[in-house]
Amino acid sequence: MKRQKGVLDENLFDVLTEELVFTILDFLHPNPLDKKSFSITCRSFYEIESRHRKALKPLRAEHLTTVLKRYPHLEHLDLSLCPRITDNSLTIISVLCKSTLRSIDLSQSRFFSHVGLWNLATNCSGLVEIDLSNATELRDAGAAAIANAKNLERLWLGRCKMITDMGIGCIAVGCKKLRSISLKWCLGVGDLGVGLIAVKCKQIRHLDLSYLQITNRSLPCILQLQYIEDLILVGCFGIDDNSLVALQQGCKSLKKLDMSSCQNVSHVGLSSLTSDAKSLQQLALAYGSPVTRALADSLQNLSMLQSIKLDGCSVTYAGLKSIGNWCASLREVSLSKCSGVTDEGLSSLVMKHKDLRKLDITCCRKITQVAIAYITKSCSALSSLKMESCTLVPSEAFVLIGQRCLCLEELDLTDNEIDDEGLKSISRCFKLTSLKLGICLNITDEGLGHVGMCCSKLVELDLYRCAGITDSGILAIAHGCPGLEMINVAYCKDITDSSLISLSKCSRLNTFESRGCPSITSLGLAAIAVGCKQLAKLDIKKCYNINDAGMIPLAHFSQNLRQINFSYSAVTDVGLLSLASISCLQSMTILHLKGLTPSGLAAALLACGGLTKVKLQASFKSLLPPPLFEHLEARGCVFQWRDKVFQAELDPICWKLQLEDLQ
C-alpha cells in the first residue's frame, strides 16, 4: 500500500495537548519504572513527565538538589526512605520548592534540627501538612520553628518525646488553621499543651492524644471543640469515670472515638462522654472494661453507630445480647482475642445485625459450628471475616462460608481445621482478594486448585506451614491469579523451583516469603527476579541451596527490592556485594552465613548506600572496626545484633503442638 505522506511520519503525541498527555500519565501503573520508561523515550516526553509529577518519594538525600530541579511543580515530598535528612537538606527543599510544596513526610528521617525546620516553615508558605513522627530528638525549639507554618492544617508528632507543653503552646499560637494533629506518645505533653491546642486551634477535626498523661483538666476544652470528629484517647490512664461524669457534657460533632486501653473508664464514664454524641459512627474500647450488659446498655442510644471494636475485652453473654438489641445497624464488629465469646452470645449478636460487613473473631476459642451457622445465615453480605485460631470449629463448618457468604473479599482462616472440601466451597467467593490459610494442616493441592480456578482477583495468599501444599497447588494459583502481589509459602517443604518458575508469571508480585523451603535453589530465585520486577520484600531464610548464583540476577533485575532476609543460605561475600547495585535496598537480615567473611561484610555494607536497618550475628561486632559502624550509623543505618544459635526445624505437626502448649 502506498504510504501517505505527512501522516505516518508525524509523531501523534505532538497533536495532543499537554493536558491530554498528563491524563494519560495519570493512568500509568503505580510501578515507578513505568513513568521512568515514559520519560526516557524522547526529550519531549522527559520534559512532559517533569512538569506532570506532583509527588516524589526519593531514595537518597544526596540526590535531592538534582531531583528537585528536574521536578519544579512538586507539591508532596515523601522522605520516609531517606534516613539522613540534615538542616542543609531542608534548606535546599525550602529554596527549590518554595512556592509549590504543600506536604512533606519526615517520619523516618533524622539528623535535622530546629534550624532546618525554621527554613522549611518560613520559606514554604503553602505547607499544609508536615509529618515529624519518630523525631525522638526534636525539642521545643523545633516545635517553635514549626509554628512559622501559618497555613498548616495537618501535623503529626507521634513519639516526639522531648517536646513539652511549651513547644506545643508555640504551635497552638502559630498554627491556628490546624485541623488534624497527632501527639501520640509525646510524653512531655500534658494538660497545659493539650488545652492550648483546644483553645487556640478552633478548626480541629482530628486529635490523637494516645498515651499522654492528661487528666480531667484538659477534657472540657477538648469537648468544646465545635468541629471535632475524630478523638483518640488510647492509653490515657489519667482519665477516669469521676472526671467524665463531672464534665456532664458530650460532644455532638464526634464521629469516631477510640478509648482503647483506658482501663479506668467503665460504662459510667463512657455514658457521660457519649451522651450527646448522636453522630458517633465508630467506637473502639479494646483492652478496656468488661463488656457487660451495663456497658452495652449505656451505648444503646447511639443510633448512627456502625463500628465497634472490643478486642481483648472480657465479654459476657448478656453484654453481647444487649449489643444485638441496639437500634443501630452495625457494619463492623471486632471481638479479636475476647475471652467469654460463646456460640450463644455471638449468635444473639449476629442475628440482629444482618448488615454486618466486617467481623473479627480471631482467637475466640470457644465458638463451634453453631456460631458459624448463625454468622453465615444472618450476615450473607460479609466482605471481611477474620477467624484465626477458632480451634473448635470443625471442618464441615467452612463449607457454610462458601455457600452463604459469596461477597467475601478478605478471609483469614489461619490455624483452623479447614480441609479441601472447605476450600472448594470457599472458592465460590469469587471476589476474594486476601486469603490466609497459614497452619491449616488439612488442606492439599486439590483444595488450592479450586481457589486458583475460581478466585482470579486474589492479591494476597498466606500458606505459612501448610505441609500438604506442593508445586501443583502453586501452579494452579499462579495460572489462575495473575494479579497476585503477595504469597507466603514459608516452611512448605515440598515447594521446589517449579513453584517459583510458575509464580514468575505473576508480574505484580511484590512480596515473596519462602523461608524454610530447602528444595528451592538459585534457579527458582532467578526466575522470580526476571519475571517479578516489582519485588520489594524477599524472605529466603533457611533456603540452604540458594547461593551467589541467585543473588546476581536479583541484583540485576530486582531494582525495587527494599527488604531481604537470606539468613542460613549459601550466599557468600560475592553474592552479598552484588546487591549493592540495588539502589532501593534498605533492610537486610544476615545471620549464619558460613561463606561470609568480615572483610566481605564490611565491603558490602559500605557499598549498599541506602541501608537503614541491618540484622547481624553478634560475633561480627568484634571482628569489624568500630569506625565502620560509626560511619554507617552517621549515614542513617541502625544495627540490630542477634546471638541466636542454629535451631533444627520441627515438622509442622510437632511445631503446632508446641505452639498450643504455649497458649
Side-chain angles (χ1 to χ4, degrees):
M1 186 177 74
K2 193 173 181 179
R3 182 170 160 175
Q4 294 182 4
K5 187 177 179 180
V7 177
L8 297 180
D9 291 337
E10 186 177 3
N11 184 348
L12 295 179
F13 272 90
D14 292 339
V15 181
L16 301 178
T17 64
E18 190 170 89
E19 289 75 14
L20 285 174
V21 180
F22 280 4
T23 303
I24 294 171
L25 283 172
D26 289 337
F27 280 95
L28 279 184
H29 196 272
N31 183 9
L33 294 178
D34 291 343
K35 289 185 179 179
K36 182 178 180 181
S37 298
F38 177 91
S39 68
I40 63 176
T41 303
C42 63
R43 183 180 296 276
S44 63
F45 282 17
Y46 182 90
E47 293 174 353
I48 288 174
E49 198 270 335
S50 295
R51 292 192 295 272
H52 170 267
R53 186 180 289 271
K54 297 295 190 293
L56 186 67
K57 191 173 184 178
L59 297 170
R60 305 283 181 85
E62 55 264 35
H63 302 315
L64 269 178
T65 302
T66 304
V67 172
L68 294 180
K69 285 182 178 179
R70 177 182 172 185
Y71 299 110
H73 302 296
L74 283 180
E75 297 179 1
H76 311 286
L77 185 57
D78 184 348
L79 297 172
S80 59
L81 298 180
C82 300
R84 184 175 178 82
I85 295 295
T86 64
D87 288 336
N88 185 55
S89 304
L90 294 182
T91 301
I92 291 171
I93 294 168
S94 69
V95 173
L96 296 178
C97 302
K98 184 175 182 178
S99 60
T100 61
L101 194 64
R102 292 180 56 79
S103 72
I104 186 168
D105 187 342
L106 295 162
S107 61
Q108 302 299 323
S109 307
R110 293 174 289 156
F111 302 103
F112 58 84
S113 71
H114 65 283
V115 177
L117 288 175
W118 188 89
N119 286 329
L120 186 71
T122 304
N123 292 330
C124 299
S125 58
L127 266 178
V128 295
E129 180 173 8
I130 302 177
D131 191 342
L132 291 166
S133 303
N134 305 308
T136 54
E137 300 301 317
L138 195 66
R139 298 175 181 270
D140 288 338
I146 297 167
N148 289 288
K150 303 299 182 182
N151 292 309
L152 202 62
E153 296 179 4
R154 297 180 293 278
L155 177 62
W156 316 106
L157 295 172
R159 295 187 182 275
C160 292
K161 299 180 181 180
M162 306 297 287
I163 293 179
T164 70
D165 290 333
M166 184 178 295
I168 297 301
C170 293
I171 292 172
V173 172
C175 305
K176 294 183 179 180
K177 293 183 179 180
L178 273 178
R179 299 165 67 94
S180 299
I181 184 169
S182 172
L183 300 174
K184 183 178 182 179
W185 284 112
C186 292
L187 301 181
V189 178
D191 288 321
L192 178 59
V194 172
L196 286 170
I197 288 288
V199 170
K200 297 292 184 180
C201 304
K202 298 294 188 181
Q203 301 297 317
I204 290 288
R205 266 77 167 167
H206 169 95
L207 185 59
D208 188 348
L209 305 176
S210 298
Y211 304 103
L212 297 195
Q213 298 179 28
I214 58 173
T215 66
N216 61 315
R217 294 178 183 177
S218 56
L219 281 178
C221 298
I222 295 171
L223 296 179
Q224 287 173 11
L225 286 166
Q226 185 177 355
Y227 304 107
I228 187 75
E229 296 179 353
D230 187 356
L231 180 59
I232 305 175
L233 300 171
V234 176
C236 292
F237 300 115
I239 298 176
D240 57 22
D241 284 341
N242 293 332
S243 60
L244 292 174
V245 171
L247 288 173
Q248 294 185 339
Q249 68 180 102
C251 191
K252 295 180 180 180
S253 60
L254 206 59
K255 293 182 179 180
K256 180 179 178 181
L257 175 63
D258 191 342
M259 296 195 69
S260 299
S261 299
C262 289
Q263 297 174 352
N264 295 322
V265 176
S266 70
H267 67 280
V268 178
L270 196 60
S271 177
S272 176
L273 184 61
T274 59
S275 59
D276 287 335
K278 304 303 182 183
S279 299
L280 196 66
Q281 297 175 6
Q282 299 179 48
L283 178 62
L285 302 172
Y287 300 97
S289 298
V291 181
T292 61
R293 180 176 180 177
L295 185 141
D297 287 346
S298 70
L299 304 172
Q300 64 180 342
N301 292 325
L302 299 175
S303 59
M304 300 294 289
L305 197 65
Q306 296 182 7
S307 169
I308 185 163
K309 296 184 179 181
L310 303 168
D311 304 347
C313 293
S314 172
V315 303
T316 64
Y317 164 69
L320 290 179
K321 184 178 181 180
S322 183
I323 292 175
N325 291 329
W326 283 354
C327 59
S329 181
L330 292 175
R331 295 298 184 95
E332 178 178 13
V333 173
S334 186
L335 300 169
S336 174
K337 300 179 181 178
C338 287
S339 60
V341 178
T342 62
D343 287 338
E344 189 178 20
L346 187 55
S347 300
S348 65
L349 189 154
V350 298
M351 278 195 299
K352 300 295 180 66
H353 293 285
K354 297 187 177 184
D355 290 328
L356 268 183
R357 295 297 187 269
K358 296 182 178 182
L359 178 63
D360 189 344
I361 49 174
T362 297
C363 294
C364 292
R365 303 180 189 278
K366 295 181 180 180
I367 66 170
T368 69
Q369 183 174 0
V370 174
I372 302 301
Y374 275 101
I375 291 170
T376 55
K377 182 179 180 180
S378 302
C379 308
S380 58
L382 275 177
S383 63
S384 174
L385 176 60
K386 298 179 181 179
M387 51 177 295
E388 174 182 347
S389 297
C390 294
T391 48
L392 291 184
V393 176
S395 58
E396 53 267 24
F398 298 98
V399 175
L400 297 176
I401 296 175
Q403 290 176 343
R404 299 172 177 175
C405 300
L406 300 180
C407 296
L408 278 172
E409 298 174 17
E410 179 183 23
L411 183 58
D412 187 350
L413 301 177
T414 304
D415 189 21
N416 274 292
E417 296 301 314
I418 185 172
D419 57 15
D420 289 339
E421 280 300 310
L423 269 188
K424 181 180 179 180
S425 179
I426 285 170
S427 69
R428 299 174 61 191
C429 304
F430 64 95
K431 294 183 179 180
L432 271 180
T433 59
S434 175
L435 179 59
K436 296 185 178 182
L437 299 168
I439 327 176
C440 292
L441 304 183
N442 299 325
I443 63 172
T444 69
D445 294 334
E446 181 183 346
L448 203 58
H450 292 290
V451 174
M453 282 190 292
C454 303
C455 302
S456 60
K457 296 181 180 180
L458 203 63
V459 172
E460 178 183 9
L461 178 61
D462 188 349
L463 298 170
Y464 175 76
R465 289 188 185 270
C466 291
I469 301 301
T470 70
D471 293 333
S472 176
I474 302 301
L475 173 62
I477 292 295
H479 181 72
C481 310
L484 197 68
E485 296 179 9
M486 178 273 175
I487 186 168
N488 185 348
V489 292
Y491 301 106
C492 296
K493 294 194 173 184
D494 291 328
I495 296 296
T496 71
D497 289 339
S498 295
S499 288
L500 277 66
I501 293 170
S502 300
L503 290 170
S504 68
K505 306 298 188 296
C506 300
S507 60
R508 295 183 184 178
L509 194 70
N510 59 57
T511 302
F512 181 59
E513 300 184 39
S514 62
R515 68 165 61 186
C517 295
S519 298
I520 291 177
T521 72
S522 297
L523 179 65
L525 183 58
I528 291 288
V530 173
C532 307
K533 293 184 173 61
Q534 294 190 41
L535 191 68
K537 181 180 178 182
L538 177 65
D539 188 343
I540 49 174
K541 178 181 177 181
K542 295 187 178 178
C543 293
Y544 308 112
N545 292 312
I546 289 181
N547 54 29
D548 296 340
M551 294 296 104
I552 293 171
L554 198 68
H556 182 71
F557 294 103
S558 300
Q559 288 301 305
N560 287 317
L561 190 66
R562 292 182 181 170
Q563 180 179 334
I564 185 170
N565 183 347
F566 46 90
S567 303
Y568 300 90
S569 67
V571 174
T572 70
D573 296 346
V574 176
L576 182 59
L577 189 57
S578 70
L579 298 180
S581 65
I582 304 177
S583 58
C584 288
L585 191 60
Q586 290 192 303
S587 175
M588 291 198 299
T589 301
I590 312 168
L591 303 174
H592 293 289
L593 292 187
K594 294 180 180 179
L596 187 62
T597 66
S599 59
L601 175 60
L605 292 176
L606 287 170
C608 296
L611 288 176
T612 59
K613 184 172 71 173
V614 178
K615 291 184 182 180
L616 285 173
Q617 197 69 23
S619 58
F620 276 111
K621 195 170 187 178
S622 60
L623 299 176
L624 296 172
L628 172 68
F629 297 116
E630 293 171 5
H631 171 73
L632 294 169
E633 287 170 351
R635 265 185 357 193
C637 185
V638 176
F639 287 90
Q640 297 180 359
W641 301 99
R642 297 291 184 266
D643 196 19
K644 295 175 65 176
V645 297
F646 181 84
Q647 293 180 330
E649 267 310 310
L650 297 172
D651 68 78
I653 295 177
C654 292
W655 183 89
K656 185 172 181 178
L657 291 173
Q658 190 178 78
L659 181 67
E660 290 173 351
D661 289 340
L662 296 174
Q663 293 172 345

